[in-house]
Amino acid sequence: MQSRSPDPSAHERLYRALRAQVMHGELAPGQALTLRGLGKQFGVSMTPAREAVRRLVAEGALTLSSSGRVATPELSADRIEELAAIRALLEPELAARALPRAHFALIDRLAAINAANAECVARQDSVGYVRTNLEFHRTLYLRAQAPAMLAMLETVWLQLGPTMRALYSRLRRNEPPQHHRMILAALRAGDEPALRLAVRTDVTQGLRHLAS
């Protein structure tokens, strides 16, 4: 009789689902997670749960204490400031690299995502707001064709996800971010300096508010 080997797809499925939850702010800052709880939630055994958590700890999406406690990141003001500075360096550069490939269909797609983002604001849906906000940025940056830079940026987004959701819930915005409209206008005009400025302002404004 053959012994059953662990299902590699179970680990990958859990990893991707949990990674998305952290990045989109579905989990609160400092929220504790257990392997048993994750296994039960996603219908997998302890082995895939352990492997997924190990990968997410390595990416900075989760923290592991010396006592073995697994949790989402709780960021100090200094850490938020540092991550905001990384976003301010990487994201304008990715946007500028995407600009030559920003055809009309892409700009229309970004405008549609921005409309969905505005609907989340109107509903005060903080998780939807974070998710559509990141989708707006990622859709643009994929056109930069700079995978190493985008991978670095995603580790920053992962660390910030729970904090971004907490920030949005606190600010209780009732209108969508104006800088997205400025990004779209700069893309339509092919104006790189305006695009860099709009992206830099958009990605740092809320974080600086949180760090202060």
Side-chain angles (χ1 to χ4, degrees):
M1 187 174 157
Q2 273 190 318
S3 62
R4 290 183 64 190
S5 58
D7 178 4
S9 64
H11 148 246
E12 189 66 25
R13 190 173 70 246
L14 171 54
Y15 164 75
R16 289 185 181 281
L18 193 52
R19 190 177 190 271
Q21 284 186 354
V22 174
M23 191 181 285
H24 298 154
E26 291 179 42
L27 304 174
Q31 185 169 328
L33 303 168
T34 65
L35 297 179
R36 184 169 283 107
L38 290 170
K40 190 173 178 184
Q41 181 185 349
F42 291 97
V44 300
S45 68
M46 294 281 274
T47 302
R50 187 178 294 109
E51 183 61 20
V53 164
R54 187 189 64 75
R55 283 176 70 184
L56 289 164
V57 167
E59 286 188 80
L62 299 173
T63 60
L64 179 63
S65 74
S66 54
S67 64
R69 181 181 184 269
V70 177
T72 55
E74 277 188 291
L75 304 179
S76 66
D78 285 347
R79 183 71 170 157
I80 293 167
E81 178 64 35
E82 180 189 1
L83 294 172
I86 295 171
R87 289 193 69 178
L89 289 168
L90 283 178
E91 297 197 38
E93 179 63 24
L94 279 162
R97 287 172 182 239
L99 182 59
R101 303 181 191 90
H103 44 68
F104 290 123
L106 175 73
I107 296 170
D108 287 346
R109 171 85 184 115
L110 291 170
I113 297 168
N114 200 41
N117 184 251
E119 286 174 19
C120 291
V121 172
R123 292 197 307 269
Q124 300 211 326
D125 173 3
S126 53
V127 172
Y129 171 81
V130 173
R131 180 177 50 75
T132 52
N133 187 44
L134 290 182
E135 187 186 355
F136 179 88
H137 287 274
R138 184 190 279 107
T139 300
L140 173 59
Y141 303 155
L142 281 169
R143 301 300 301 165
Q145 296 180 2
M149 221 179 277
L150 186 56
M152 288 171 66
L153 177 59
E154 287 202 344
T155 65
V156 175
W157 287 349
L158 269 170
Q159 292 173 67
L160 283 168
T163 299
M164 290 296 288
R165 187 260 186 96
L167 165 67
Y168 177 76
S169 299
R170 206 155 77 205
L171 288 182
R172 284 285 173 220
R173 275 197 171 124
N174 54 13
E175 57 182 46
Q178 58 174 330
H179 301 107
H180 282 192
R181 292 196 297 274
M182 293 164 65
I183 290 168
L184 289 167
L187 288 169
R188 289 190 184 102
D191 185 339
E192 184 185 320
L195 179 62
R196 283 180 178 271
L197 178 62
V199 170
R200 187 180 301 112
T201 309
D202 181 52
V203 303
T204 57
Q205 188 185 48
L207 291 171
R208 293 264 154 79
H209 173 92
L210 187 59
S212 56

